[in-house]
Amino acid sequence: MKGLKSIFLKNFIIYSLVVMLSFTALGGAFIYQISRYAAEERDSALNSAARRASSITTTYMQTAPNMIGSSFSLQTYNDMYRASIVNLAENLGGILFVCDSQGKLLFFATGEGCYTHEDVTQVSQDAVKAIQEDGRFSEMGSFSGLLTSPHYTLGIPASGEDGQMLGMVFASLSADSSLKLFINISSTFILMIFIVFLMVLVVTYVMVDSTVRPLKNIAAAARNFAHGDFSCRVAVPKRRDELYALTISFNHMADAIENMETQRRDLIANVSHDLRTPMTTIGGFIDGILDGTIKPEKQEYYLKIISEEIRRLSRLANSMVEVSRLESGERALNKTTFDISEMVRRIVLGFEKQLTDKEIDLTLDIPDKLEISADHDAIFQVVYNLTDNAVKFTDRAGKIIIYLSAKGGKMQMNIVNTGPGIGPEAIDHIFERFYKGDRSRGSKVTSSGLGLYIVKTLVGRHGGDIYAKSGDGQTEFCFTIPTSL
């Protein structure tokens, strides 16, 4: 739909950003810790090499003057001292500078040997001042031009036991090695992040798509419903989660909507038929009376037919009004205590003419008195509708039996009639609104399809239950309600 942002795209972008920011934060923290560890290791190596060089230099400067005139050659002692400095420089992997107490460069040593600098013979005054005042000097640079590339340099004094500064020692490590370590670690980590990020994106894409796809299917089905196609259903996801429950609920709703639409169409067809037939009959007979087609001696007969058709229309209208009141909740239950046995006897008396005309044998198996607390008018309508249904569908010379009992705080009534049964395809639908099972019972009797729906609704509002069964030439309706509402 135009202007509607995709849930899939929105969720995918959000998840991707969260993953990317998480990995960025993790990578930054990791690189920071590695860099910090490398810096600590570098400072530790510089400090260790400088202190050992300072100790050796202090010893050398204190003892060298005493070697003059001794049997031990001063040159040999000097070579030994320089060899020790070279060995320290080799272990450090850097450069050691040895200066006098004023900062004059005496020599510098690498892992390959000792050398003197032809152009620079003095370290910076800043370095000398820092060591003289603070006892320590550190920088990252070219160290007074003595180095051609950036180095980390640490300088400390070479002092005797009396605290007199005899000289200075500086240890330097190339910054390139630290930079290379940082670049190697960073590039490796970035490559790992990139690979993992791609994997996460793929997984996120699949997860988001599997989440959004059912929603898209539901939206597509809803659009079909809006266009009048109620046959669409959504494929149920394999994983049993909230989307599974949503899809199941949506399909149940779709079934209900389709069923309601079918009932609506059936209602329109049935009501149209039920209205058209009597109205045609009434109109035809009235026209016949008015134009003289129907003779005066026959008018009373046809006026009775018209009266019956009008009563039929009235029953249809009343049923529809009753359904509307029940579904809207306008009809509230009015609890009273009454004798249901007496109610059954009075209802049966009202059907005396129909029973006599069809020679129906009716048996009442009811107690003399059974009081219940319920809505009198509602229960009257339930019993009346079921009795009328039984009389209507019982064949001539058939039988009707009405049972009534109370047990365990519940009242039970069974109404059994002989005659054409209810087909198995109809038995599960007879209590549905607007369902008409007349054809399944092989009868020419017509109905609005609302009577049994009203019965089930009223019984249900009393907290009761109703069922029907049919077979072996007889049909039975049974309902139960609590004896006290």
Side-chain angles (χ1 to χ4, degrees):
M1 300 176 69
K2 189 175 181 180
L4 183 63
K5 293 183 178 179
S6 169
I7 295 179
F8 169 80
L9 182 59
K10 182 166 61 176
N11 281 275
F12 180 72
I13 292 176
I14 291 174
Y15 292 158
S16 300
L17 286 176
V18 169
V19 171
M20 184 171 64
L21 291 176
S22 299
F23 273 108
T24 301
L26 179 63
F30 177 78
I31 293 174
Y32 170 76
Q33 291 297 334
I34 290 296
S35 300
R36 182 180 175 184
Y37 173 77
E40 290 176 352
E41 287 294 308
R42 181 196 65 229
D43 292 344
S44 176
L46 287 173
N47 188 64
S48 176
R51 288 189 178 280
R52 292 181 63 184
S54 174
S55 176
I56 295 173
T57 301
T58 298
T59 303
Y60 171 76
M61 289 184 174
Q62 287 178 335
T63 58
N66 300 328
M67 293 292 177
I68 300 174
S70 66
S71 59
F72 193 79
S73 171
L74 179 59
Q75 183 62 40
T76 302
Y77 185 55
N78 184 58
D79 292 341
M80 291 176 59
Y81 161 65
R82 295 197 174 205
S84 298
I85 298 298
V86 169
N87 186 53
L88 287 175
E90 183 178 9
N91 292 336
L92 175 63
I95 305 173
L96 290 174
F97 298 90
V98 179
C99 302
D100 62 14
S101 59
Q102 301 302 315
K104 181 181 179 181
L105 180 61
L106 301 178
F107 67 91
F108 66 91
T110 65
E112 299 176 354
C114 290
Y115 308 95
T116 57
H117 204 289
E118 297 179 357
D119 298 325
V120 181
T121 59
Q122 179 74 35
V123 299
S124 68
Q125 289 303 310
D126 292 337
V128 174
K129 185 178 179 180
I131 291 177
Q132 289 176 346
E133 294 179 356
D134 303 328
R136 182 183 178 86
F137 167 78
S138 63
E139 74 160 15
M140 201 283 285
S142 62
F143 189 44
S144 305
L146 291 169
L147 302 170
T148 57
S149 61
H151 279 64
Y152 294 99
T153 302
L154 174 66
I156 60 174
S159 303
E161 294 180 358
D162 55 0
Q164 181 181 0
M165 186 170 63
L166 303 176
M168 302 176 186
V169 175
F170 298 89
S172 296
L173 273 176
S174 175
D176 292 342
S177 59
S178 299
L179 182 61
K180 288 180 180 178
L181 176 64
F182 178 80
I183 292 175
N184 289 336
I185 294 175
S186 299
S187 59
T188 302
F189 191 79
I190 290 173
L191 178 62
M192 292 174 58
I193 288 179
F194 180 74
I195 294 174
V196 174
F197 184 67
L198 286 180
M199 295 173 61
V200 171
L201 285 183
V202 172
V203 174
T204 301
Y205 180 90
V206 173
M207 291 181 60
V208 173
D209 182 68
S210 64
T211 300
V212 174
R213 190 184 302 113
L215 298 178
K216 290 182 177 179
N217 294 338
I218 291 174
R223 286 193 294 271
N224 289 333
F225 289 167
H227 291 90
D229 180 7
F230 300 100
S231 62
C232 294
R233 296 297 182 270
V234 180
V236 179
K238 293 182 179 179
R239 58 183 187 182
R240 294 178 175 266
D241 53 10
E242 289 81 358
L243 285 174
Y244 175 88
L246 175 63
T247 304
I248 293 294
S249 299
F250 182 87
N251 286 337
H252 287 168
M253 180 192 70
D255 292 337
I257 292 175
E258 185 176 26
N259 187 44
M260 289 178 61
E261 177 63 15
T262 301
Q263 290 178 352
R264 183 187 68 83
R265 291 173 180 172
D266 290 344
L267 169 65
I268 294 174
N270 292 332
V271 171
S272 299
H273 178 269
D274 290 344
L275 289 175
R276 182 173 60 251
T277 301
M279 292 299 291
T280 301
T281 302
I282 293 171
F285 289 162
I286 291 177
D287 289 342
I289 293 173
L290 292 176
D291 62 16
T293 304
I294 298 177
K295 303 301 180 183
E297 61 272 16
K298 291 287 186 177
Q299 289 180 3
E300 182 178 356
Y301 171 77
Y302 286 104
L303 285 174
K304 288 182 179 179
I305 296 177
I306 291 173
S307 177
E308 290 177 359
E309 293 297 326
I310 291 174
R311 284 195 293 271
R312 178 180 166 190
L313 289 174
S314 178
R315 286 195 300 271
L316 175 61
N318 290 335
S319 295
M320 296 183 67
V321 170
E322 183 67 19
V323 169
S324 177
R325 292 178 60 198
L326 287 173
E327 292 182 342
S328 65
E330 293 180 6
R331 178 170 179 175
L333 296 181
N334 182 22
K335 176 184 175 182
T336 58
T337 301
F338 57 91
D339 182 4
I340 191 171
S341 295
E342 180 63 21
M343 175 189 286
V344 172
R345 284 190 284 267
R346 289 184 180 180
I347 290 174
V348 169
L349 284 175
F351 287 93
E352 183 177 4
K353 185 177 184 305
Q354 294 97 310
L355 294 172
T356 302
D357 291 344
K358 295 181 69 173
E359 300 177 357
I360 296 174
D361 179 17
L362 187 142
T363 301
L364 292 180
D365 186 359
I366 62 176
D368 293 336
K369 186 176 183 180
L370 178 57
E371 290 190 342
I372 64 172
S373 295
D375 187 310
H376 180 277
D377 293 341
I379 299 302
F380 184 93
Q381 186 170 5
V382 169
V383 178
Y384 183 91
N385 284 6
L386 292 177
T387 304
D388 178 65
N389 205 59
V391 173
K392 188 186 300 180
F393 291 104
T394 300
D395 289 338
R396 177 173 294 276
K399 293 183 179 181
I400 296 177
I401 305 175
I402 300 178
Y403 301 93
L404 183 62
S405 63
K407 183 178 180 181
K410 289 188 175 183
M411 181 222 74
Q412 176 175 319
M413 176 178 288
N414 300 64
I415 300 179
V416 183
N417 70 279
T418 59
I422 304 174
E425 71 284 350
I427 196 71
D428 294 330
H429 302 286
I430 57 174
F431 292 108
E432 294 177 2
R433 182 176 52 177
F434 308 127
Y435 183 81
K436 298 176 70 173
D438 302 332
R439 295 186 183 90
S440 70
R441 305 189 71 172
S443 173
K444 296 181 180 179
V445 179
T446 59
S447 65
S448 64
L450 296 173
L452 291 179
Y453 173 76
I454 294 173
V455 167
K456 182 177 178 63
T457 303
L458 291 174
V459 171
R461 294 189 66 181
H462 279 79
D465 193 16
I466 185 170
Y467 70 88
K469 61 181 180 179
S470 183
D472 298 329
Q474 68 178 23
T475 300
E476 178 181 358
F477 284 84
C478 173
F479 76 91
T480 60
I481 59 171
T483 54
S484 179
L485 183 62

